[in-house]
Amino acid sequence: MKIYLRCLILCIAISQFGYGQDAAPDAYQDSLQTVIKSAKQSADKKEAYFLLGEYLVQRDPDLAEQIANTLKNEIIDANDSSEVRRTNYIFAASHRWQGDYKTALEYYDGIYSYSKRQNDSIDIAKSAHFIGTISMFLGNNVESQNKLLEAAKIYDKIGSAKQQARINKSLASFYLNVDQLEKGKDQYLKALTQFEKLNDSMGLASVNANLGMVYTDLGDYEKAEYHLMKQKEYNVVFPTLREMGFHHDFLGLLRQEQGRLDEAYEEHLKALRIRENLSSTYNLCESKIHMGEILIKLNRYNEAISHLEDVFSFEEHESLNQEQRAYDLLAEAYEKKGDYKSALSNFKEYTAMNDSIYTKESIEIIAEKDARYNQQKKDAEIAILNKEKELSETKLSRSRAIVIISLIGLVLLGIAAIALLKLNKKIKKKNQTITKALEDRELLLHETHHRVKNNLQMISSLLNLQSKYVNDKDVYEVLQKGRNRVQSMALLHKNLYVGEDLTKVDIQEYFEGLVNSILTSYNKSEEDVSLNIEAHNLKMDVESVIPIGLIVNELVTNSLKHAFPKDWTSKPSINVEMEENSTDYTLKIKDNGIGMDDLVEKSGSETSFGQRLVRSLSQKLKATINMTNHNGTEVSIVMPK
């Protein structure tokens, strides 16, 4: 199924410029035809012909081709390259929308070659875009990728917003064609955003249709349905039968994947009836193939066979992929019908077609590389011949001067080379010395942080051990608080010596370890207290983090100790957040406890050592403190950078 869906996406990928062929004549078309009939100035009449041909390439490709022939045979100057090129664009587009991709590609190749010779970047990108899209449509992925990327590089520099959106949509189709579904989906979403900014209804309809098929392929049917319905909405704004044909066909494939076979049949039938009245035989064959597929699932084998055999009756386009799929489905239909001989015959054709596709792709790749090599070789030979000719025409009287200058140059070059070698050795030796010194310094810093951490850990352990021999509750509390403060600094040095950066501390990891250590000291766990720590992508130097860690230690300890009395019914919650902007850092610590007034009353003093410590550390950091009471206590500390 994935192969079928990607082929369909390629089918809609090329319908990205202009209007649908089925639209009725409108005021704009009538006005152009009026100018053609009544214009007195030949320049006005010529421009009206150009505009009408460009306008009709999808609306009525046959009429557009007639206008191009009129321009070529009766109106334009054959020596005016810009007029010839503009006419060829109309020829190319009309053949494309008639389903004659081979002829269209020949016109676009001619325009591309001319634009290359003239170094016309925008026209190079425009023609390369068309060539890349049609080459992808015909299965030549190597040529498609080369041309689409060439167009994308030009549009990225000098293209309009609409050109950039369209090339992104074509690249998305290419990624899907080479089995990169996720990359293709992301590219389509990028194009969708661009078309939304442009308010381009046609582009939005096309991208939403493609996204519908991608999500069908990925098994996300809800998103697939959403995008296909969005396509339908945009088709109301931009009504064409071609787009509605895509809508019904894609919706039918979604219904097949959902197992809603009767609904799928009805959608494919609607698409088929629309496409029978349009010029694109490729799209008609897509409907024939999908009708064959759904009819097989509905056990209506004879009808399926009839539709599938019709695929081989069209010669306007050369799609080996369609013929391959038709043979595959015919083999399945005949097998289920019980006609094993016919099933085997079609399976052999399917296998041969596979081999043909593979051989064709291989030949294209080899031919392209061979042509590139031969061209480079010819260019090199021409350059050598030109150089030999130039040397042979040099006057003999200048030969000695050239030899002398060459010798002097070689001597100077030799001297410079020797000097550079000596300088390089010196630089290399100095670099080795510097590298060794840096490695030694890094090792020393690791060891220093490790030893500081061990010493602080030992002090923490001694304080913890001492507290076990203290009977006075207040003394015990003081020892535990002191231990926690020492532990906050020990954790800081641990983060430094185990991290890659010896000068910066990852605040998220440090806060997580610090708060968990405090919880452990109070015999609490995350099951008892809900924690939320947010300080992602924030790193600071160790000198700033030491006072910050002590502040966090004091405020979290204060919350655990005083904010939640024994009769507290809600689950205790503590949030520790830290963020930065261009001028300062903001530290916020919040709990859902009883609030600071009650907390202070229970602590017995507004000037406890912990509070004085927080104020002192804040002054050191030149920070401002703000406290609010609303469903708990929130302390906000703003520190300048």
Side-chain angles (χ1 to χ4, degrees):
M1 189 67 182
K2 288 185 177 180
I3 295 174
Y4 297 170
L5 298 186
R6 277 190 290 282
C7 289
L8 266 178
I9 288 169
L10 290 181
C11 180
I12 197 171
I14 65 169
S15 66
Q16 56 183 340
F17 307 107
Y19 294 86
Q21 76 177 67
D22 51 272
D26 55 20
Y28 180 67
Q29 181 177 344
D30 291 339
S31 66
L32 290 174
Q33 290 174 330
T34 300
V35 172
I36 290 171
K37 292 178 182 178
S38 60
K40 295 180 180 180
Q41 298 292 329
S42 59
D44 294 339
K45 187 173 184 178
K46 182 193 299 183
E47 182 62 20
Y49 264 113
F50 274 125
L51 292 173
L52 183 59
E54 291 162 352
Y55 183 67
L56 290 174
V57 287
Q58 282 194 61
R59 296 173 66 92
D60 191 340
D62 293 330
L63 180 55
E65 185 181 4
Q66 293 176 23
I67 291 171
N69 276 312
T70 301
L71 283 165
K72 178 181 178 181
N73 297 325
E74 302 176 16
I75 298 176
I76 68 171
D77 181 356
N79 295 318
D80 189 329
S81 58
S82 63
E83 292 184 352
V84 172
R85 183 167 32 169
R86 193 173 176 185
T87 304
N88 285 341
Y89 267 123
I90 299 174
F91 274 123
S94 63
H95 281 289
R96 180 161 60 94
W97 293 113
Q98 290 166 350
D100 184 358
Y101 304 120
K102 183 178 179 181
T103 303
L105 199 56
E106 290 173 356
Y107 275 108
Y108 286 131
D109 280 333
I111 295 169
Y112 175 82
S113 298
Y114 177 82
S115 301
K116 276 284 192 180
R117 292 194 299 272
Q118 299 299 313
N119 199 24
D120 186 337
S121 296
I122 285 295
D123 236 26
I124 290 171
K126 184 178 177 181
S127 55
H129 190 176
F130 284 120
I131 294 169
T133 302
I134 295 178
S135 296
M136 171 177 56
F137 189 63
L138 296 176
N140 187 350
N141 291 328
V142 175
E143 175 69 3
S144 174
Q145 182 188 38
N146 288 338
K147 291 297 188 290
L148 290 177
L149 289 177
E150 182 178 11
K153 289 176 182 177
I154 295 173
Y155 284 151
D156 284 343
K157 293 180 180 179
I158 58 174
S160 66
K162 182 169 286 190
Q163 287 169 332
Q164 292 171 359
R166 287 171 173 172
I167 195 65
N168 281 328
K169 187 164 81 74
S170 296
L171 284 171
S173 299
F174 174 79
Y175 292 136
L176 294 172
N177 193 44
V178 293
D179 262 338
Q180 298 184 36
L181 285 181
E182 287 295 336
K183 193 170 183 181
K185 179 194 72 176
D186 293 341
Q187 198 77 16
Y188 272 131
L189 291 172
K190 181 178 179 181
L192 183 66
T193 301
Q194 292 173 314
F195 281 123
E196 286 172 345
K197 290 180 180 178
L198 292 166
N199 196 24
D200 186 329
S201 298
M202 181 183 175
L204 288 168
S206 177
V207 172
N208 274 290
N210 286 326
L211 280 169
M213 296 315 301
V214 173
Y215 282 117
T216 297
D217 213 357
L218 292 171
D220 192 339
Y221 303 141
E222 184 177 347
K223 287 185 179 179
E225 182 107 19
Y226 168 80
H227 285 289
L228 289 176
M229 292 304 107
K230 290 296 290 185
Q231 180 215 7
K232 187 176 182 181
E233 289 178 19
Y234 287 114
N235 284 343
V236 173
V237 179
F238 180 77
T240 68
L241 291 176
R242 180 186 301 278
E243 297 300 324
M244 289 309 298
F246 283 122
H247 173 75
H248 290 303
D249 211 26
F250 287 8
L251 191 58
L253 289 169
L254 174 60
R255 296 292 179 250
Q256 282 195 54
E257 290 296 298
Q258 292 172 320
R260 296 156 63 175
L261 299 183
D262 291 332
E263 294 178 50
Y265 172 75
E266 292 298 325
E267 295 296 337
H268 286 310
L269 186 59
K270 290 176 185 177
L272 177 64
R273 287 172 177 168
I274 290 173
R275 288 169 170 176
E276 285 174 340
N277 297 312
L278 301 179
S279 65
S280 175
T281 57
Y282 186 96
N283 292 339
L284 178 59
C285 286
E286 287 296 319
S287 281
K288 291 284 185 181
I289 289 170
H290 295 139
M291 285 296 292
E293 183 181 13
I294 188 62
L295 287 168
I296 290 172
K297 292 180 179 179
L298 292 171
N299 301 324
R300 294 159 62 176
Y301 305 125
N302 289 332
E303 295 175 69
I305 291 168
S306 176
H307 282 291
L308 293 169
E309 288 180 343
D310 284 346
V311 172
F312 301 97
S313 61
F314 298 99
E315 297 180 357
E316 290 87 347
H317 60 271
E318 298 177 354
S319 177
L320 298 178
N321 287 328
Q322 284 186 337
E323 293 181 4
Q324 173 200 30
R325 289 156 57 201
Y327 279 128
D328 187 25
L329 289 170
L330 281 168
E332 181 181 354
Y334 278 118
E335 181 182 7
K336 290 183 176 180
K337 185 181 176 183
D339 186 347
Y340 300 111
K341 182 178 179 181
S342 297
L344 179 60
S345 174
N346 280 281
F347 182 75
K348 288 180 178 179
E349 293 289 350
Y350 164 74
T351 303
M353 189 65 67
N354 267 342
D355 295 339
S356 176
I357 292 173
Y358 177 78
T359 302
K360 181 179 179 182
E361 291 178 348
S362 299
I363 290 173
E364 287 170 345
I365 294 170
I366 293 168
E368 181 184 5
K369 290 184 177 179
D370 186 60
R372 188 180 302 165
Y373 170 78
N374 288 334
Q375 186 62 45
Q376 291 173 347
K377 187 176 179 180
K378 288 179 181 178
D379 291 342
E381 290 173 351
I382 291 171
I384 292 171
L385 289 172
N386 288 336
K387 190 65 177 178
E388 289 175 350
K389 181 180 179 181
E390 181 182 345
L391 291 173
S392 66
E393 293 174 353
T394 303
K395 294 180 180 180
L396 293 176
S397 60
R398 299 180 60 189
S399 298
R400 183 176 297 174
I402 292 172
V403 171
I404 293 172
I405 292 171
S406 298
L407 289 173
I408 293 172
L410 288 173
V411 170
L412 292 175
L413 184 62
I415 294 171
I418 293 170
L420 286 173
L421 284 173
K422 290 182 178 180
L423 181 60
N424 184 57
K425 287 181 179 179
K426 289 181 180 180
I427 293 172
K428 189 174 180 181
K429 187 175 181 180
K430 287 184 178 180
N431 284 340
Q432 289 173 346
T433 303
I434 293 170
T435 301
K436 181 66 167 59
L438 287 174
E439 290 174 352
D440 291 343
R441 176 182 174 275
E442 186 174 344
L443 181 62
L444 180 60
L445 283 174
H446 270 290
E447 183 62 25
T448 300
H449 285 302
H450 194 179
R451 290 190 180 186
V452 171
K453 175 260 180 185
N454 286 344
N455 290 335
L456 290 171
Q457 191 70 48
M458 181 177 292
I459 294 170
S460 175
S461 299
L462 288 172
L463 289 171
N464 187 46
L465 183 63
Q466 183 65 47
S467 67
K468 294 180 180 180
Y469 295 93
V470 172
N471 295 323
D472 188 300
K473 184 178 179 180
D474 292 336
V475 175
Y476 177 83
E477 183 68 27
V478 169
L479 288 172
Q480 284 299 317
K481 285 185 177 180
R483 174 182 174 272
N484 286 344
R485 291 165 186 147
V486 172
Q487 186 67 16
S488 73
M489 291 185 284
L491 283 171
L492 175 62
H493 287 280
K494 178 183 176 182
N495 281 6
L496 285 170
Y497 84 76
V498 299
E500 294 181 358
D501 192 338
L502 293 169
T503 60
K504 297 290 183 181
V505 179
D506 187 310
I507 301 300
Q508 178 75 23
E509 292 182 5
Y510 175 53
F511 279 0
E512 288 174 354
L514 176 58
V515 175
N516 282 321
S517 175
I518 297 170
L519 284 180
T520 302
S521 72
Y522 279 89
N523 295 319
K524 302 286 187 182
S525 68
E526 292 189 19
E527 294 181 358
D528 303 315
V529 180
S530 177
L531 292 178
N532 179 42
I533 299 173
E534 294 290 341
H536 296 294
N537 301 320
L538 184 56
K539 293 187 177 183
M540 298 179 67
D541 62 90
V542 64
E543 292 299 324
S544 299
V545 176
I546 289 175
I548 291 172
L550 290 170
I551 290 172
V552 171
N553 178 77
E554 294 303 320
L555 294 176
V556 172
T557 299
N558 224 22
S559 292
L560 288 173
K561 184 178 177 183
H562 301 295
F564 309 108
K566 291 183 179 180
D567 58 353
W568 192 255
T569 56
S570 300
K571 184 176 181 179
S573 172
I574 297 176
N575 293 338
V576 180
E577 299 178 7
M578 188 165 181
E579 58 185 19
E580 71 170 321
N581 56 36
S582 59
T583 59
D584 50 46
Y585 299 99
T586 301
L587 172 65
K588 293 181 181 179
I589 300 175
K590 178 177 174 58
D591 62 51
N592 64 340
I594 61 176
M596 179 59 80
D597 292 337
D598 291 339
L599 184 153
V600 171
E601 182 180 349
K602 288 190 176 184
S603 68
S605 173
E606 296 182 0
T607 58
S608 66
F609 176 74
Q611 292 171 338
R612 290 199 303 273
L613 180 60
V614 170
R615 281 200 298 272
S616 175
L617 292 170
S618 299
Q619 289 172 359
K620 180 181 178 182
L621 294 170
K622 298 181 181 180
T624 58
I625 306 175
N626 184 41
M627 183 198 74
T628 58
N629 283 313
H630 180 69
N631 296 327
T633 299
E634 178 177 316
V635 179
S636 177
I637 301 174
V638 179
M639 299 161 278
K641 287 187 173 180

